[in-house]
Amino acid sequence: MTSSSMPEVGKVGRLAAVILGKMRVHPAYDRLHSSSMRYSTCWATFTGYPAISRWSLERDAGPLLGEALRVLALKAAVFELTGGDEEAAELLVPAPVDEMIHAVLAQFTLMTRMQTDLGVVFPHATELEEFTYTRGCVTDAYYAAAGWGEQPLRYWLDSVEVSRRLNLLNKHYQAAGLGPDGRSHDFDFDRPEPVGVGVSG
């Protein structure tokens, strides 16, 4: 979808703010919040959360969840204002935030209930995802129009910076015996560990 056919920034921002407000007062919100936080310990790749400097699940999960919910509201607003255009609604977002979005969407029952009750769709199409987020893109304009203030740059990392950090991480992964982006390793768990030679006592 061309930029000229994207919905007007102010309309997206205002609608997204309304959607997020309705999410927060929904009876299932507290459970969605707590469930997503717990799931984040399971949903952790080597290329999303770890791109955050001095990443700590305990410290960063809460703020990241807030950003993920904001993006979901933005995506829902674009989806509604474009008459259900999935491609337009697949906004560019930084890898750490995208990873937390997956943790939220994994709460399938709660998200389905919330969609039904609020009359909105929280679109997500993995095949349409692009990891080319850059500062100043339309996502940032929508975010600002929603009135949410400054984006926390700890999490809103430009794709060039994410790539730089992943290159550094991959050096550490390789040293630990992991393949690129942690997608493979040669650890054989079926072979017994070698017994150390030496005198015990």
Side-chain angles (χ1 to χ4, degrees):
M1 183 173 259
T2 63
S3 57
S4 60
S5 58
M6 291 292 282
E8 193 263 313
V9 169
K11 288 183 179 178
V12 172
R14 288 189 293 273
L15 181 55
V18 169
I19 291 171
L20 183 60
K22 289 181 177 178
M23 290 173 72
R24 287 177 170 160
V25 298
H26 189 277
Y29 178 79
D30 287 342
R31 184 178 167 202
L32 175 66
H33 189 279
S34 61
S35 297
S36 299
M37 292 284 281
R38 277 197 293 271
Y39 188 73
S40 61
T41 60
C42 301
W43 188 270
T45 68
F46 288 81
T47 58
Y49 297 149
I52 297 169
S53 185
R54 295 185 176 274
W55 156 249
S56 164
L57 182 64
E58 184 175 309
R59 177 183 62 229
D60 293 311
L64 264 177
L65 178 58
E67 296 308 303
L69 293 174
R70 287 173 172 174
V71 171
L72 284 169
L74 290 174
K75 286 159 60 82
V78 172
F79 189 79
E80 182 173 324
L81 292 169
T82 57
D85 188 321
E86 284 189 275
E87 189 171 354
E90 199 54 55
L91 301 176
L92 297 178
V93 295
V97 177
D98 182 72
E99 190 160 334
M100 184 57 85
I101 288 171
H102 286 226
V104 174
L105 293 177
Q107 313 313 314
F108 179 76
T109 305
L110 293 175
M111 289 301 288
T112 300
R113 182 181 306 156
M114 197 170 282
Q115 285 189 137
T116 301
D117 292 347
L118 301 183
V120 300
V121 173
F122 297 105
H124 189 78
T126 303
E127 76 274 14
L128 298 177
E129 282 186 308
E130 293 181 16
F131 296 100
T132 56
Y133 168 78
T134 53
R135 295 291 300 155
C137 70
V138 71
T139 306
D140 293 355
Y142 291 153
Y143 189 105
W148 296 326
E150 293 292 321
Q151 292 157 299
L153 299 184
R154 175 171 174 77
Y155 310 118
W156 285 82
L157 300 168
D158 191 281
S159 61
V160 172
E161 178 60 15
V162 169
S163 294
R164 184 188 76 82
R165 294 182 183 195
L166 290 181
N167 285 334
L168 294 173
L169 283 168
N170 272 315
K171 292 178 182 178
H172 293 291
Y173 295 157
Q174 183 178 12
L178 299 169
D181 297 338
R183 293 192 172 111
S184 66
H185 66 65
D186 291 322
F187 306 141
D188 187 348
F189 299 113
D190 296 323
R191 292 181 60 186
E193 288 290 315
V195 177
V197 178
V199 180
S200 61

